[in-house]
Amino acid sequence: MASKLTSFESVVFAGGGCRCFWQAGFWSVVSEGLSEPKVVLGVSAGSAFACTALLHRGQEVLSSFKRRVERNERNFYPSELMEGRTAFPHESIYRETIQEIVQDADFKRLKWGPDVRILLARPPAYFDGRSGFVLGGIAYMLDRYDPRGDSRWGYKLGFDHELVSIRDLTNRDELVDLIMHSSCTPPLLPIYRRGDRIVLDGGVVDNAPADLVPESKSTLVLLTRHQSADRIPEVKGRTYVWPSSPIPVEKWDYTSPERIQQTFDLGCRDGEAFLS
């Protein structure tokens, strides 16, 4: 079985917030049968899980995140807003988890390992700031409910993509910022700027950017949403995997370690089914 799985030259980790714990569970099972890919693409939370997957830290990120979520009672705190602070706990929990798991030595391993590229979305110049976020939200909803699986409304509305390779970064903190930028979904996360322009969640343009993989004989794409097979494009050399049933946790639900664990466990079961 291992020899069957050694042919994937590239791997794509789709976005999905907490749903990406399915990827962590799936990868923890199937990775022993995989040779190291040449190129890895990640978008939004999938970029964080791509890094932890290559570091073989799936169980660690699960434990770290669950520990923080267990101390968090809700996803919105109106009293904090009244005090002029952010009402959402997501950025601190997300950032602190990445900082705990990815240390300086880990950054060096990632920098000199497979070429890890992280996707960002850039709004059109005439829609900057909060208006760009609103337009991104419209693109996301149109993609979500379009019966075609690859409509890419972000591009149609004038968004552009930017792929940043970890090899172009100089330290761990830049990597943490890059992951946060790729996941930028206001108001849950603040609006970030990279250079002189804002960035938004890479999923605005493509939540599973397999088309951005450089020429590759074989690509494994890890989706994060249960769906029907007729929404999956058929592309030679490309293998899509996705949850066999609806994910237990919502994308931005940072309150339930139980549902996080259930999502990871579903990934493990689906990984075992994939191997068999």
Side-chain angles (χ1 to χ4, degrees):
M1 184 59 64
S3 61
K4 176 185 177 182
L5 297 176
T6 56
S7 59
F8 293 116
E9 293 184 353
S10 55
V11 181
V12 175
F13 286 77
C18 290
R19 296 197 307 267
C20 292
F21 278 99
W22 179 88
Q23 295 173 334
F26 184 91
W27 189 264
S28 69
V29 172
V30 305
S31 59
E32 292 185 5
L34 290 171
S35 58
E36 195 166 64
K38 295 179 180 179
V39 177
V40 175
L41 263 63
V43 55
S44 192
S47 64
F49 283 87
C51 292
T52 57
L54 292 176
L55 294 170
H56 302 287
R57 299 279 176 80
Q59 285 286 352
E60 291 179 43
V61 72
L62 174 67
S63 298
S64 176
F65 193 79
K66 283 174 57 181
R67 186 172 68 252
R68 288 176 170 81
V69 166
E70 192 171 18
R71 299 194 296 262
N72 180 54
E73 296 181 354
R74 58 185 68 175
N75 290 308
F76 179 67
Y77 293 87
S79 60
E80 294 294 306
L81 191 63
M82 298 293 290
E83 297 293 330
R85 297 186 291 267
T86 178
F88 301 96
H90 301 79
E91 186 194 30
S92 60
I93 292 175
Y94 190 10
R95 183 181 291 272
E96 289 169 7
T97 301
I98 301 169
Q99 290 173 330
E100 178 179 350
I101 300 301
V102 181
Q103 299 295 313
D104 290 337
D106 301 315
F107 168 74
K108 293 178 181 178
R109 287 175 57 192
L110 292 169
K111 183 179 175 71
W112 302 114
D115 187 4
V116 182
R117 305 179 187 185
I118 295 177
L119 181 67
L120 312 170
R122 295 284 197 176
Y126 52 86
F127 274 105
D128 206 355
R130 295 189 182 279
S131 60
F133 160 66
V134 173
L135 187 66
I138 293 172
Y140 174 82
M141 295 302 293
L142 289 172
D143 271 340
R144 177 71 180 87
Y145 294 104
D146 195 313
R148 297 165 295 176
D150 57 352
S151 50
R152 314 257 172 76
W153 277 96
Y155 289 121
K156 295 179 181 179
L157 294 178
F159 282 82
D160 197 6
H161 73 264
E162 180 179 350
L163 269 179
V164 182
S165 173
I166 291 181
R167 294 178 178 178
D168 294 331
L169 306 180
T170 59
N171 57 59
R172 187 280 302 261
D173 291 339
E174 289 185 0
L175 173 57
V176 174
D177 284 341
L178 177 60
I179 292 172
M180 301 300 293
H181 293 171
S182 179
S183 307
C184 182
T185 310
L188 298 171
L189 298 182
I191 293 178
Y192 298 114
R193 287 187 176 270
R194 189 173 184 86
D196 60 350
R197 295 176 58 198
I198 71 166
V199 292
L200 291 175
D201 191 307
V204 169
V205 290
D206 195 341
N207 201 49
D211 288 343
L212 298 180
V213 174
E215 185 175 348
S216 176
K217 295 180 181 179
S218 54
T219 301
L220 176 65
V221 185
L222 281 70
L223 304 178
T224 60
R225 191 186 296 278
H226 174 64
Q227 55 201 295
S228 60
D230 59 7
R231 285 181 57 89
I232 306 301
E234 294 185 11
V235 181
K236 183 179 180 180
R238 193 180 297 177
T239 299
Y240 285 88
V241 293
W242 61 91
S244 59
S245 61
I247 293 286
V249 69
E250 295 294 328
K251 180 176 181 178
W252 288 107
D253 181 9
Y254 280 27
T255 65
S256 176
E258 294 81 14
R259 287 192 287 271
I260 294 292
Q261 183 67 57
Q262 291 167 8
T263 300
F264 182 89
D265 293 343
L266 175 62
C268 292
R269 293 194 298 272
D270 288 345
E272 291 166 356
F274 180 73
L275 291 179
S276 63

